[in-house]
mmCIF file of all heavy atoms in Angstrom:
data_model
loop_
_atom_site.group_PDB
_atom_site.id
_atom_site.type_symbol
_atom_site.label_atom_id
_atom_site.label_comp_id
_atom_site.label_asym_id
_atom_site.label_seq_id
_atom_site.Cartn_x
_atom_site.Cartn_y
_atom_site.Cartn_z
ATOM 1 N N THR A 1 -17.165 12.672 -53.517
ATOM 2 C CA THR A 1 -16.040 11.968 -52.892
ATOM 3 C C THR A 1 -16.534 10.792 -52.055
ATOM 4 O O THR A 1 -15.954 9.708 -52.090
ATOM 5 C CB THR A 1 -15.229 12.937 -52.006
ATOM 6 O OG1 THR A 1 -14.797 14.028 -52.817
ATOM 7 C CG2 THR A 1 -14.032 12.248 -51.391
ATOM 8 N N ILE A 2 -17.604 11.002 -51.313
ATOM 9 C CA ILE A 2 -18.169 9.925 -50.492
ATOM 10 C C ILE A 2 -18.661 8.798 -51.386
ATOM 11 O O ILE A 2 -18.418 7.629 -51.113
ATOM 12 C CB ILE A 2 -19.307 10.460 -49.601
ATOM 13 C CG1 ILE A 2 -18.746 11.391 -48.536
ATOM 14 C CG2 ILE A 2 -20.059 9.311 -48.939
ATOM 15 C CD1 ILE A 2 -19.791 12.094 -47.718
ATOM 16 N N ALA A 3 -19.334 9.147 -52.472
ATOM 17 C CA ALA A 3 -19.847 8.128 -53.387
ATOM 18 C C ALA A 3 -18.702 7.327 -54.007
ATOM 19 O O ALA A 3 -18.782 6.103 -54.124
ATOM 20 C CB ALA A 3 -20.704 8.771 -54.466
ATOM 21 N N ILE A 4 -17.623 7.999 -54.380
ATOM 22 C CA ILE A 4 -16.467 7.309 -54.965
ATOM 23 C C ILE A 4 -15.820 6.404 -53.924
ATOM 24 O O ILE A 4 -15.476 5.257 -54.213
ATOM 25 C CB ILE A 4 -15.445 8.329 -55.516
ATOM 26 C CG1 ILE A 4 -16.035 9.089 -56.704
ATOM 27 C CG2 ILE A 4 -14.141 7.652 -55.889
ATOM 28 C CD1 ILE A 4 -16.358 8.249 -57.903
ATOM 29 N N ALA A 5 -15.639 6.905 -52.698
ATOM 30 C CA ALA A 5 -15.046 6.089 -51.629
ATOM 31 C C ALA A 5 -15.901 4.860 -51.355
ATOM 32 O O ALA A 5 -15.383 3.749 -51.196
ATOM 33 C CB ALA A 5 -14.892 6.917 -50.358
ATOM 34 N N PHE A 6 -17.211 5.034 -51.339
ATOM 35 C CA PHE A 6 -18.130 3.923 -51.115
ATOM 36 C C PHE A 6 -18.000 2.895 -52.229
ATOM 37 O O PHE A 6 -17.911 1.691 -51.982
ATOM 38 C CB PHE A 6 -19.563 4.456 -51.031
ATOM 39 C CG PHE A 6 -20.601 3.385 -50.943
ATOM 40 C CD1 PHE A 6 -20.800 2.670 -49.782
ATOM 41 C CD2 PHE A 6 -21.374 3.081 -52.040
ATOM 42 C CE1 PHE A 6 -21.744 1.686 -49.704
ATOM 43 C CE2 PHE A 6 -22.321 2.087 -51.979
ATOM 44 C CZ PHE A 6 -22.519 1.390 -50.817
ATOM 45 N N ALA A 7 -17.955 3.344 -53.464
ATOM 46 C CA ALA A 7 -17.853 2.432 -54.607
ATOM 47 C C ALA A 7 -16.542 1.653 -54.567
ATOM 48 O O ALA A 7 -16.519 0.449 -54.847
ATOM 49 C CB ALA A 7 -17.977 3.210 -55.907
ATOM 50 N N CYS A 8 -15.456 2.311 -54.206
ATOM 51 C CA CYS A 8 -14.160 1.635 -54.117
ATOM 52 C C CYS A 8 -14.165 0.578 -53.023
ATOM 53 O O CYS A 8 -13.689 -0.535 -53.223
ATOM 54 C CB CYS A 8 -13.053 2.645 -53.853
ATOM 55 S SG CYS A 8 -12.721 3.723 -55.256
ATOM 56 N N LEU A 9 -14.697 0.928 -51.866
ATOM 57 C CA LEU A 9 -14.765 -0.023 -50.763
ATOM 58 C C LEU A 9 -15.613 -1.226 -51.123
ATOM 59 O O LEU A 9 -15.249 -2.372 -50.859
ATOM 60 C CB LEU A 9 -15.358 0.662 -49.525
ATOM 61 C CG LEU A 9 -14.323 1.012 -48.489
ATOM 62 C CD1 LEU A 9 -14.671 2.282 -47.795
ATOM 63 C CD2 LEU A 9 -14.237 -0.117 -47.521
ATOM 64 N N LEU A 10 -16.750 -0.962 -51.733
ATOM 65 C CA LEU A 10 -17.649 -2.046 -52.097
ATOM 66 C C LEU A 10 -17.017 -2.959 -53.132
ATOM 67 O O LEU A 10 -17.149 -4.179 -53.050
ATOM 68 C CB LEU A 10 -18.972 -1.477 -52.617
ATOM 69 C CG LEU A 10 -20.045 -2.508 -52.885
ATOM 70 C CD1 LEU A 10 -20.367 -3.286 -51.619
ATOM 71 C CD2 LEU A 10 -21.288 -1.830 -53.409
ATOM 72 N N SER A 11 -16.295 -2.408 -54.087
ATOM 73 C CA SER A 11 -15.653 -3.244 -55.094
ATOM 74 C C SER A 11 -14.602 -4.148 -54.460
ATOM 75 O O SER A 11 -14.412 -5.282 -54.898
ATOM 76 C CB SER A 11 -15.052 -2.390 -56.207
ATOM 77 O OG SER A 11 -14.003 -1.608 -55.715
ATOM 78 N N CYS A 12 -13.922 -3.665 -53.423
ATOM 79 C CA CYS A 12 -12.954 -4.500 -52.712
ATOM 80 C C CYS A 12 -13.643 -5.663 -52.013
ATOM 81 O O CYS A 12 -13.154 -6.788 -52.023
ATOM 82 C CB CYS A 12 -12.173 -3.675 -51.697
ATOM 83 S SG CYS A 12 -11.033 -2.510 -52.441
ATOM 84 N N VAL A 13 -14.784 -5.381 -51.404
ATOM 85 C CA VAL A 13 -15.521 -6.412 -50.671
ATOM 86 C C VAL A 13 -16.024 -7.490 -51.614
ATOM 87 O O VAL A 13 -15.995 -8.677 -51.304
ATOM 88 C CB VAL A 13 -16.712 -5.786 -49.903
ATOM 89 C CG1 VAL A 13 -17.608 -6.859 -49.330
ATOM 90 C CG2 VAL A 13 -16.211 -4.893 -48.799
ATOM 91 N N LEU A 14 -16.492 -7.069 -52.759
ATOM 92 C CA LEU A 14 -17.083 -8.013 -53.696
ATOM 93 C C LEU A 14 -16.091 -8.543 -54.727
ATOM 94 O O LEU A 14 -16.483 -9.143 -55.714
ATOM 95 C CB LEU A 14 -18.266 -7.344 -54.406
ATOM 96 C CG LEU A 14 -19.403 -6.901 -53.483
ATOM 97 C CD1 LEU A 14 -20.482 -6.188 -54.277
ATOM 98 C CD2 LEU A 14 -19.981 -8.066 -52.717
ATOM 99 N N ALA A 15 -14.806 -8.350 -54.487
ATOM 100 C CA ALA A 15 -13.778 -8.832 -55.410
ATOM 101 C C ALA A 15 -13.863 -10.346 -55.551
ATOM 102 O O ALA A 15 -14.400 -11.041 -54.690
ATOM 103 C CB ALA A 15 -12.405 -8.417 -54.913
ATOM 104 N N ALA A 16 -13.330 -10.848 -56.621
ATOM 105 C CA ALA A 16 -13.403 -12.284 -56.909
ATOM 106 C C ALA A 16 -12.804 -13.102 -55.771
ATOM 107 O O ALA A 16 -11.755 -12.762 -55.238
ATOM 108 C CB ALA A 16 -12.666 -12.582 -58.203
ATOM 109 N N PRO A 17 -13.473 -14.206 -55.383
ATOM 110 C CA PRO A 17 -12.935 -15.062 -54.316
ATOM 111 C C PRO A 17 -11.706 -15.816 -54.824
ATOM 112 O O PRO A 17 -11.500 -15.962 -56.030
ATOM 113 C CB PRO A 17 -14.093 -16.020 -54.030
ATOM 114 C CG PRO A 17 -14.885 -16.056 -55.288
ATOM 115 C CD PRO A 17 -14.735 -14.700 -55.916
ATOM 116 N N PRO A 18 -10.871 -16.298 -53.898
ATOM 117 C CA PRO A 18 -9.708 -17.089 -54.301
ATOM 118 C C PRO A 18 -10.137 -18.308 -55.127
ATOM 119 O O PRO A 18 -11.246 -18.816 -54.974
ATOM 120 C CB PRO A 18 -9.094 -17.537 -52.980
ATOM 121 C CG PRO A 18 -9.599 -16.563 -51.975
ATOM 122 C CD PRO A 18 -10.948 -16.124 -52.467
ATOM 123 N N ALA A 19 -9.244 -18.775 -55.986
ATOM 124 C CA ALA A 19 -9.573 -19.878 -56.894
ATOM 125 C C ALA A 19 -9.968 -21.144 -56.147
ATOM 126 O O ALA A 19 -10.674 -21.984 -56.681
ATOM 127 C CB ALA A 19 -8.382 -20.153 -57.805
ATOM 128 N N SER A 20 -9.523 -21.305 -54.897
ATOM 129 C CA SER A 20 -9.817 -22.519 -54.146
ATOM 130 C C SER A 20 -11.247 -22.560 -53.615
ATOM 131 O O SER A 20 -11.690 -23.589 -53.142
ATOM 132 C CB SER A 20 -8.836 -22.671 -52.985
ATOM 133 O OG SER A 20 -9.011 -21.609 -52.069
ATOM 134 N N GLN A 21 -11.958 -21.458 -53.680
ATOM 135 C CA GLN A 21 -13.331 -21.417 -53.177
ATOM 136 C C GLN A 21 -14.315 -21.395 -54.335
ATOM 137 O O GLN A 21 -13.994 -20.994 -55.447
ATOM 138 C CB GLN A 21 -13.544 -20.181 -52.314
ATOM 139 C CG GLN A 21 -12.721 -20.183 -51.059
ATOM 140 C CD GLN A 21 -13.001 -18.949 -50.216
ATOM 141 O OE1 GLN A 21 -13.624 -18.004 -50.675
ATOM 142 N NE2 GLN A 21 -12.544 -18.965 -48.993
ATOM 143 N N GLN A 22 -15.540 -21.825 -54.030
ATOM 144 C CA GLN A 22 -16.603 -21.749 -55.027
ATOM 145 C C GLN A 22 -16.999 -20.298 -55.212
ATOM 146 O O GLN A 22 -16.704 -19.451 -54.386
ATOM 147 C CB GLN A 22 -17.815 -22.545 -54.556
ATOM 148 C CG GLN A 22 -17.547 -24.021 -54.378
ATOM 149 C CD GLN A 22 -18.780 -24.738 -53.863
ATOM 150 O OE1 GLN A 22 -19.810 -24.137 -53.620
ATOM 151 N NE2 GLN A 22 -18.666 -26.032 -53.697
ATOM 152 N N ASP A 23 -17.694 -20.031 -56.313
ATOM 153 C CA ASP A 23 -18.220 -18.682 -56.525
ATOM 154 C C ASP A 23 -19.244 -18.370 -55.447
ATOM 155 O O ASP A 23 -20.168 -19.139 -55.216
ATOM 156 C CB ASP A 23 -18.867 -18.566 -57.899
ATOM 157 C CG ASP A 23 -17.856 -18.609 -59.019
ATOM 158 O OD1 ASP A 23 -16.685 -18.249 -58.768
ATOM 159 O OD2 ASP A 23 -18.221 -19.004 -60.131
ATOM 160 N N ALA A 24 -19.064 -17.249 -54.792
ATOM 161 C CA ALA A 24 -19.979 -16.835 -53.723
ATOM 162 C C ALA A 24 -21.135 -16.044 -54.322
ATOM 163 O O ALA A 24 -20.967 -15.318 -55.298
ATOM 164 C CB ALA A 24 -19.239 -15.993 -52.700
ATOM 165 N N GLN A 25 -22.273 -16.180 -53.725
ATOM 166 C CA GLN A 25 -23.465 -15.434 -54.128
ATOM 167 C C GLN A 25 -23.737 -14.357 -53.084
ATOM 168 O O GLN A 25 -23.547 -14.584 -51.890
ATOM 169 C CB GLN A 25 -24.680 -16.359 -54.231
ATOM 170 C CG GLN A 25 -24.490 -17.511 -55.196
ATOM 171 C CD GLN A 25 -24.306 -17.027 -56.620
ATOM 172 O OE1 GLN A 25 -25.043 -16.172 -57.081
ATOM 173 N NE2 GLN A 25 -23.303 -17.560 -57.294
ATOM 174 N N VAL A 26 -24.185 -13.207 -53.523
ATOM 175 C CA VAL A 26 -24.575 -12.144 -52.600
ATOM 176 C C VAL A 26 -25.940 -12.506 -52.019
ATOM 177 O O VAL A 26 -26.904 -12.676 -52.753
ATOM 178 C CB VAL A 26 -24.616 -10.772 -53.306
ATOM 179 C CG1 VAL A 26 -25.128 -9.699 -52.355
ATOM 180 C CG2 VAL A 26 -23.239 -10.406 -53.837
ATOM 181 N N LEU A 27 -25.988 -12.645 -50.705
ATOM 182 C CA LEU A 27 -27.235 -12.989 -50.025
ATOM 183 C C LEU A 27 -28.010 -11.749 -49.596
ATOM 184 O O LEU A 27 -29.230 -11.758 -49.559
ATOM 185 C CB LEU A 27 -26.945 -13.844 -48.792
ATOM 186 C CG LEU A 27 -26.195 -15.149 -49.041
ATOM 187 C CD1 LEU A 27 -25.899 -15.843 -47.717
ATOM 188 C CD2 LEU A 27 -26.998 -16.060 -49.963
ATOM 189 N N ARG A 28 -27.272 -10.705 -49.246
ATOM 190 C CA ARG A 28 -27.909 -9.464 -48.791
ATOM 191 C C ARG A 28 -27.011 -8.297 -49.155
ATOM 192 O O ARG A 28 -25.798 -8.359 -48.995
ATOM 193 C CB ARG A 28 -28.110 -9.498 -47.276
ATOM 194 C CG ARG A 28 -28.771 -8.247 -46.711
ATOM 195 C CD ARG A 28 -29.085 -8.395 -45.223
ATOM 196 N NE ARG A 28 -27.899 -8.314 -44.405
ATOM 197 C CZ ARG A 28 -27.521 -7.227 -43.731
ATOM 198 N NH1 ARG A 28 -28.233 -6.128 -43.792
ATOM 199 N NH2 ARG A 28 -26.432 -7.247 -42.995
ATOM 200 N N PHE A 29 -27.641 -7.246 -49.665
ATOM 201 C CA PHE A 29 -26.915 -6.017 -49.953
ATOM 202 C C PHE A 29 -27.852 -4.858 -49.665
ATOM 203 O O PHE A 29 -28.920 -4.754 -50.269
ATOM 204 C CB PHE A 29 -26.446 -5.962 -51.407
ATOM 205 C CG PHE A 29 -25.782 -4.660 -51.738
ATOM 206 C CD1 PHE A 29 -24.494 -4.401 -51.305
ATOM 207 C CD2 PHE A 29 -26.447 -3.680 -52.447
ATOM 208 C CE1 PHE A 29 -23.874 -3.192 -51.590
ATOM 209 C CE2 PHE A 29 -25.845 -2.467 -52.733
ATOM 210 C CZ PHE A 29 -24.563 -2.232 -52.307
ATOM 211 N N ASP A 30 -27.472 -4.017 -48.728
ATOM 212 C CA ASP A 30 -28.232 -2.818 -48.385
ATOM 213 C C ASP A 30 -27.275 -1.642 -48.437
ATOM 214 O O ASP A 30 -26.131 -1.756 -48.001
ATOM 215 C CB ASP A 30 -28.813 -2.905 -46.965
ATOM 216 C CG ASP A 30 -29.761 -4.071 -46.786
ATOM 217 O OD1 ASP A 30 -30.645 -4.249 -47.633
ATOM 218 O OD2 ASP A 30 -29.605 -4.809 -45.789
ATOM 219 N N SER A 31 -27.751 -0.519 -48.960
ATOM 220 C CA SER A 31 -26.920 0.682 -48.934
ATOM 221 C C SER A 31 -27.798 1.915 -48.878
ATOM 222 O O SER A 31 -28.941 1.909 -49.330
ATOM 223 C CB SER A 31 -25.998 0.754 -50.147
ATOM 224 O OG SER A 31 -26.726 1.100 -51.301
ATOM 225 N N ASP A 32 -27.239 2.947 -48.293
ATOM 226 C CA ASP A 32 -27.914 4.234 -48.182
ATOM 227 C C ASP A 32 -26.842 5.308 -48.234
ATOM 228 O O ASP A 32 -25.977 5.365 -47.367
ATOM 229 C CB ASP A 32 -28.695 4.309 -46.860
ATOM 230 C CG ASP A 32 -29.473 5.607 -46.714
ATOM 231 O OD1 ASP A 32 -29.796 6.238 -47.747
ATOM 232 O OD2 ASP A 32 -29.756 5.989 -45.567
#
């Protein structure tokens, strides 16, 4: 359940940016 909740939250954070912005690059990603 924790792993699923984490995956859902992360997918929301990394969702596609609005069309008015450039494509964003991930600069840092850490997880435990």
Side-chain angles (χ1 to χ4, degrees):
T1 303
I2 291 173
I4 294 296
F6 174 74
C8 290
L9 256 145
L10 186 59
S11 66
C12 290
V13 171
L14 299 177
S20 64
Q21 295 182 347
Q22 298 178 359
D23 290 335
Q25 302 296 314
V26 176
L27 302 176
R28 180 174 74 101
F29 176 76
D30 299 312
S31 74
D32 183 24

